[in-house]
């Protein structure tokens, strides 16, 4: 169930902001489009207090160092302390629409897909260069501006590979959204999570953009069935809708959707460069 | 915290020069310089096990002056082995068991990092090879140790503005199982490296003659290559003909047979002096992709066989395709130089094809031709020593199997 904070209460708690509207909430957070005193459009995310405050604090700190056109800038992050019980983060607000809306128009042309995803991989390269893994890359976490420029948002589950993990679960890697899980998120441990986990999710998104279908999820499928499909089923690569795609798209998508991360590209730059070649 | 945007990252990428690298073992530093002067090789890898620090600094400058990239492989493969670094490197305090390396204190990691940066600068290196312990099945502490060692090296590389390469020494206990290989490589490639240096511990024997063993190695190379970062095949020896075929950008080769695979015996002190005694010279033939005894076996061939075996290089000018033949035509050290030049030539040609698939097809053609030449020599009643005909067919077959099993991977490599 999405975490809910009534907007009136939010207004009382965050007097420094002017509230514009409520945004889509998730289990972990309730989000609002707000403006600060300077008039900047921002996204205020009030985190569910049941979250472990230490869970992402250090990773979020690393996020603050990234300035990249395809990564939403995290301006502020606050965990409860003696001075305040508030637990929130403030990101740049990205006007436009979710990637969900763009994908609703799938299949996209090769050129349109490449133009969009080369920028997404450019953003992922910024995360990778800082040793960060998003862990929850999905359509609703990618905003697309009016000019078609995508921006990766929502770093609530980000993990810094160079720091000891402090997530609540002792060994499990199952954090994120199962529809976009890589196999290692279903079956692995936290040690199995790295940038290639994000690349798998991006592969799912490219597949959806090019075919109009999710590669693994089917209507009525339960968690266990989805896990089995993601971990063991590669039939999505042999269906006519996929086989009719241009070879370069098939080759790249197949690599991104490899079951074992060792067989996926390990470098976001490399994928970005391949996609850039497809833009023409 | 150091802020590195994606753009600044690009400067660090793909600095690993493609082609033939001299991987210096014992008494091979002068040979490497001589070869560079003749245009054979794009880089040199030095090792603390084979050279004093003072000499490494001197050599590094010399190699760099001849346009070569220089790297130092710290060789932590067996960190507590009896043959550690030579004088001056000061790496001994870090030669600890894997379990202790995995738990190095932040102070010790910083000290190692500073030390690696200093070595890199002093030896004119173009990058830093992260120290690494040989990966063993069922030893997660080695994975942890290598992660700590890579982090130290990465900090060093970032601090002096050079790329950091992750060394992946794959032990024999790992290469037995494809699942173990995948897990070992997956863990190693979690590191944010600028490239991979792969060393593979094949089973007993001078060169691997098992199709499945070479196929497993080939699959690992292809997996690393499709990561999008360059792969340098360490301890390649004559197997370097397969390096470009399996997607590697570069191959490190030394003349010594104990560097033709990841060989633990190199790190264990021998009771007696060792050395090859007064063994007759082995003449490396590109046509055979192997060696034969010179002049005995060479002289016994028919003129047409000899013409096919003949491999002219600047170091074998005395060896002719026609009689007379005598040992003075191929001095002992020239056999080593000749071998490096011949292998270097082939690696250069295969790398220049610019496509792993094209290199695989060309290498397979060469190996099939070599197997045919061996067969024709055998059919004429001559048996060449050292089992020199034992592996060409297996290597050719392994190329065929890797190409078939990794069709999409080779297609992907073509996209890069």
């Amino acid at each position: 169930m999405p975490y809910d904070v009534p907007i009136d209460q939010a207004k009382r708690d965050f007097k420094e902001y002017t509230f514009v509207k409520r945004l889509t909430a998730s289990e972990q957070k309730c989000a609002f489009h707000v403006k600060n005193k300077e008039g900047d459009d921002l996204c205020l995310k009030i985190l569910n207090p049941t979250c472990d405050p230490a869970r992402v604090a250090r990773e979020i700190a690393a996020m603050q160092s990234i300035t990249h056109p395809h990564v939403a800038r995290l301006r502020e992050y606050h965990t409860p302390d003696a001075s305040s019980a508030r637990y929130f983060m403030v990101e740049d607000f990205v006007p436009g629409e979710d990637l969900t809306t763009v994908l609703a128009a799938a299949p996209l042309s090769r050129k349109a897909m490449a133009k969009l995803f080369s920028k997404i991989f450019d953003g992922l390269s910024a995360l990778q260069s800082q040793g960060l893994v998003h862990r929850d890359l999905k359509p609703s976490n990618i905003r697309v501006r009016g000019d078609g420029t995508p921006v990766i948002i929502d770093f609530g589950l980000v993990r810094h590979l160079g720091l000891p993990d402090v997530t609540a679960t002792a060994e499990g890697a199952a954090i994120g959204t199962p529809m976009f899980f890589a196999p290692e998120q279903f079956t692995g441990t936290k040690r199995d999570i790295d940038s290639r986990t994000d690349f798998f999710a991006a592969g799912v998104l490219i597949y959806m953009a090019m075919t109009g279908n999710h590669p693994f999820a089917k209507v009525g499928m339960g968690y266990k069935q989805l896990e089995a499909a993601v971990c063991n089923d590669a039939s999505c690569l042999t269906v006519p809708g996929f086989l009719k795609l241009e070879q370069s798209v098939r080759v790249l998508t197949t690599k991104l959707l490899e079951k074992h991360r060792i067989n996926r590209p390990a470098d976001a730059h490399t994928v970005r460069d391949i996609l850039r070649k497809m833009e023409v | 915290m150091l802020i590195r945007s994606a753009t600044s990252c690009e400067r660090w990428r793909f600095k690993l020069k493609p082609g033939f690298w001299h991987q210096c073992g014992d008494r091979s530093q002068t040979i490497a310089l001589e070869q560079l002067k003749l245009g054979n090789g794009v880089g040199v890898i030095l090792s603390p096990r084979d050279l004093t620090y003072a000499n490494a600094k001197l050599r590094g400058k010399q190699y760099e002056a001849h346009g070569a990239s220089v790297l130092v492989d710290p060789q932590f493969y067996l960190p507590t082995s009896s043959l550690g670094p030579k004088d001056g490197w000061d790496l001994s305090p870090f030669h600890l068991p894997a379990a202790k390396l995995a738990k190095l204190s932040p102070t010790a990691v910083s000290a190692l990092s500073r030390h690696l940066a200093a070595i890199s600068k002093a030896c004119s290196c173009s990058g830093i090879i992260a120290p690494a312990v040989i990966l063993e099945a069922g030893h997660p502490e080695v994975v942890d140790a290598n992660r700590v060692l890579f982090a130290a090296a990465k900090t060093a590389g970032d601090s002096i503005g050079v790329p950091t390469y992750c060394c992946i020494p794959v032990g024999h206990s790992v290469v037995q199982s494809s699942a173990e290989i995948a897990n070992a490589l997956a863990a190693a490639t979690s590191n944010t490296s600028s490239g991979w240096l792969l060393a593979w511990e094949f089973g007993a024997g001078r060169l691997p003659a098992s199709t499945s063993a070479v196929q497993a190695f080939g699959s690992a190379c292809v997996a690393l290559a499709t990561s999008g970062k360059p792969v340098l095949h360490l301890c390649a020896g004559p197997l370097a003909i397969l390096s470009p075929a399996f997607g590697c950008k570069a191959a490190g080769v030394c003349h010594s047979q104990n560097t033709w695979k990841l060989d633990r015996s190199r790190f264990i002190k021998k009771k007696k002096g060792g050395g090859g005694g007064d063994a007759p010279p082995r003449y490396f033939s590109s046509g055979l992709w192997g060696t034969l005894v010179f002049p005995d076996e060479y002289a016994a061939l028919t003129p047409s066989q000899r013409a096919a075996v003949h491999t002219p290089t600047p170091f074998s000018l005395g060896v002719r395709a026609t009689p007379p033949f005598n040992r003075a035509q191929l001095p002992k050290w020239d056999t080593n130089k000749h071998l490096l030049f011949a292998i270097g030539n082939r690696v250069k040609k295969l790398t220049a094809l610019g496509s792993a698939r094209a290199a695989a097809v060309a290498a397979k053609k060469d190996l099939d031709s070599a197997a045919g030449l061996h067969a024709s020599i055998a059919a004429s009643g001559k048996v060449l020593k050292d089992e020199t005909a034992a592996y060409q067919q297996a290597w050719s077959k392994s190329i065929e199997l890797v190409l078939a099993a990794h069709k999409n991977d080779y297609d992907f490599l073509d996209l890069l």
Side-chain angles (χ1 to χ4, degrees):
Chain A
M1 183 186 288
Y3 174 55
D4 182 50
V5 176
I7 194 162
D8 289 340
Q9 185 192 324
K11 284 177 179 172
R12 280 198 301 277
D13 289 348
F14 296 88
K15 292 191 176 74
E16 62 270 45
Y17 297 113
T18 305
F19 281 68
V20 180
K21 67 170 181 177
R22 175 186 290 279
L23 300 170
T24 312
S26 70
E27 258 183 67
Q28 290 91 23
K29 59 190 84 75
C30 178
F32 298 94
H33 175 190
V34 298
K35 283 180 187 285
N36 63 9
K37 283 170 185 161
E38 290 74 37
D40 299 330
D41 284 300
L42 302 169
C43 179
L44 169 70
K45 293 178 176 176
I46 305 168
L47 283 91
N48 190 331
T50 59
C51 291
D52 177 355
R55 180 169 145 168
V56 286
R58 286 175 299 173
E59 287 88 354
I60 292 292
M63 269 306 304
Q64 289 179 301
S65 65
I66 293 183
T67 305
H68 191 277
H70 306 306
V71 178
R73 190 153 66 98
L74 185 65
R75 296 200 176 199
E76 199 177 342
Y77 179 70
H78 190 270
T79 52
D81 58 20
S83 65
S84 162
R86 296 190 303 183
Y87 187 15
F88 67 95
M89 61 174 79
V90 181
E91 289 176 8
D92 279 348
F93 177 77
V94 183
E97 56 197 7
D98 281 357
L99 184 65
T100 315
T101 312
V102 178
L103 293 181
L108 308 184
S109 69
R110 185 249 302 147
K111 202 171 163 180
M113 177 281 291
K115 216 170 173 178
L116 186 65
F117 281 91
S118 66
K119 294 182 176 71
I120 292 172
F121 270 94
D122 202 28
L124 288 175
S125 75
L127 296 184
Q128 189 175 27
S129 71
Q130 292 287 5
L132 296 167
V133 187
H134 189 285
R135 295 203 291 186
D136 198 18
L137 202 65
K138 57 183 177 182
S140 59
N141 281 344
I142 296 171
R143 296 281 293 172
V144 182
R145 295 181 191 277
D147 64 359
T149 307
V151 180
I152 301 168
I153 63 167
D154 199 343
F155 300 94
L157 296 181
V158 77
R159 181 179 171 207
H160 194 303
L161 296 172
L163 295 171
D165 200 352
V166 289
T167 50
T169 49
E171 283 298 322
I175 291 171
T177 306
M179 283 269 282
F180 300 92
F181 267 10
E184 61 268 21
Q185 284 175 291
F186 281 111
T187 61
T189 68
K190 284 182 285 194
R191 295 171 66 133
D192 298 319
I193 304 299
D194 61 29
S195 299
R196 292 169 287 190
T197 305
D198 285 345
F199 300 170
F200 185 93
V204 172
L205 296 175
I206 290 177
Y207 189 99
M208 291 171 71
M210 294 306 291
T211 66
N213 298 311
H214 191 286
F216 306 108
K218 304 276 186 294
V219 176
M221 208 177 225
Y223 182 89
K224 279 287 165 195
Q225 289 165 302
L226 179 64
E227 175 183 337
V230 171
C231 296
N232 305 312
D233 187 359
S235 60
C236 63
L237 304 175
T238 55
V239 298
F242 183 74
L243 291 176
K244 74 177 183 192
L245 300 176
E246 286 178 49
Q247 196 213 10
S248 58
V249 177
R250 277 187 282 121
V251 168
L252 175 61
T253 312
T254 301
K255 283 300 283 177
L256 292 169
L257 293 179
E258 284 280 1
K259 304 296 185 195
H260 202 298
R261 65 189 164 128
I262 182 58
N263 295 316
R264 286 177 224 144
D267 181 39
H269 263 292
T270 300
V271 181
R272 180 203 64 181
D273 291 347
I274 291 171
L275 286 161
R276 279 187 179 169
K277 288 181 203 165
M278 291 184 198
E279 287 180 27
V280 287
Chain B
M1 174 174 287
L2 177 71
I3 299 173
R4 282 173 48 205
S5 69
T7 309
S8 72
C9 247
E10 276 177 310
R11 297 199 315 267
W12 305 52
R13 294 161 51 75
F14 306 131
K15 286 205 171 175
L16 192 72
K17 282 189 183 170
F20 183 84
W21 284 62
H22 295 279
Q23 187 179 353
C24 289
D26 190 29
R27 292 188 293 170
S28 54
Q29 292 80 19
T30 306
I31 292 179
L33 185 62
E34 191 177 6
Q35 301 259 327
L36 289 174
K37 286 177 181 172
L38 288 168
N40 185 39
V42 296
V44 182
I45 301 167
L46 297 170
S47 94
R49 177 227 172 276
D50 298 295
L51 196 63
T52 65
Y53 189 40
N55 279 338
K57 289 191 270 191
L58 185 71
R59 289 298 188 187
K61 285 189 177 68
Q62 290 175 335
Y63 298 142
E64 191 189 34
H66 283 88
S69 288
V70 180
L71 293 172
V72 169
D73 180 356
Q75 301 211 332
F76 277 43
Y77 299 141
L78 295 174
T80 56
S81 65
S82 51
L83 261 184
K86 287 202 168 180
D87 291 347
W89 291 92
D90 272 349
L91 284 166
S92 297
F94 304 104
H95 276 248
L96 302 165
K100 286 192 175 169
L101 285 171
K103 291 176 181 164
L104 271 188
S105 69
T107 313
V109 171
S110 296
L112 175 59
S113 191
R114 284 194 301 275
H115 203 61
L116 291 172
I119 288 173
S120 179
K121 281 165 91 172
C123 295
S124 311
C125 293
S126 59
I128 291 182
I129 301 177
V133 179
I134 296 177
L135 293 160
E136 301 283 14
H139 284 273
E141 78 279 10
V142 175
V143 173
D144 292 338
N146 288 352
R147 192 172 286 136
V148 169
L149 293 170
F150 181 83
K154 176 77 175 153
T155 304
D158 288 354
S159 71
I160 58 172
V162 297
T164 306
Y165 302 111
C166 177
C167 181
I168 312 178
V170 188
H172 196 245
S173 61
V174 172
V175 306
Q176 307 299 314
S177 139
S178 55
E180 289 286 356
I181 293 170
N183 289 332
L185 297 186
T189 50
S190 279
N191 294 311
T192 50
S193 172
S194 295
W196 319 113
L197 273 67
L198 178 69
W200 198 265
E201 189 173 37
F202 288 100
R206 196 168 56 116
L207 289 164
S210 148
T211 302
S212 59
V214 177
Q215 186 190 352
F217 163 73
S219 294
C221 288
V222 171
L224 290 177
T226 58
S227 73
K229 298 176 184 184
V231 185
L232 190 156
H233 172 198
L234 284 171
C235 308
L239 204 66
I241 193 173
L242 298 182
S243 314
F246 292 149
C248 300
K249 290 280 181 206
V253 181
C254 178
H255 64 81
S256 302
Q257 290 189 17
N258 69 357
T259 61
W260 289 2
K261 61 184 175 187
L262 178 58
D263 188 340
R264 289 167 202 251
S265 71
R266 258 174 63 74
F267 304 97
I268 297 162
K269 213 173 254 175
K270 291 179 182 67
K271 285 181 181 166
K272 286 186 179 175
D278 193 26
R282 259 69 176 175
Y283 175 67
F284 184 83
S285 162
S286 294
L288 292 171
W289 203 254
T291 56
L292 73 172
V293 177
F294 188 85
D296 312 43
E297 291 180 333
Y298 187 77
L301 300 177
T302 64
S304 64
Q305 287 170 341
R306 213 178 295 127
V309 161
H310 190 59
T311 304
T313 72
F315 302 101
S316 65
L317 295 175
V319 176
R320 301 180 195 94
T322 53
F325 308 110
N326 61 70
R327 194 165 167 171
Q329 292 169 353
L330 191 63
K332 184 182 170 187
W333 278 99
D334 281 0
T335 62
N336 298 329
K337 298 171 186 177
H338 165 75
L339 174 134
L340 288 172
F341 207 89
I343 294 177
N345 257 342
R346 188 58 54 89
V347 170
K348 192 175 178 180
K349 279 180 192 163
L350 293 173
T351 308
L353 292 172
S355 146
R357 181 177 273 121
V361 171
K364 180 169 165 47
K365 194 176 164 194
D366 289 345
L367 289 165
D368 287 342
S369 166
L373 184 54
H374 277 290
S376 78
I377 291 170
S380 64
K382 300 168 192 89
V383 180
L384 300 180
K385 290 182 181 171
D386 296 337
E387 296 183 320
T388 197
Y391 50 84
Q392 291 81 358
Q393 274 184 321
W395 293 9
S396 168
K397 185 68 183 170
S398 72
I399 292 177
E400 186 185 320
L401 294 171
V402 171
L403 273 173
H406 296 274
K407 186 187 171 304
N408 193 67
D409 293 329
Y410 277 92
D411 288 341
F412 181 77
L413 290 173
D414 284 341
L415 293 179
L416 297 178

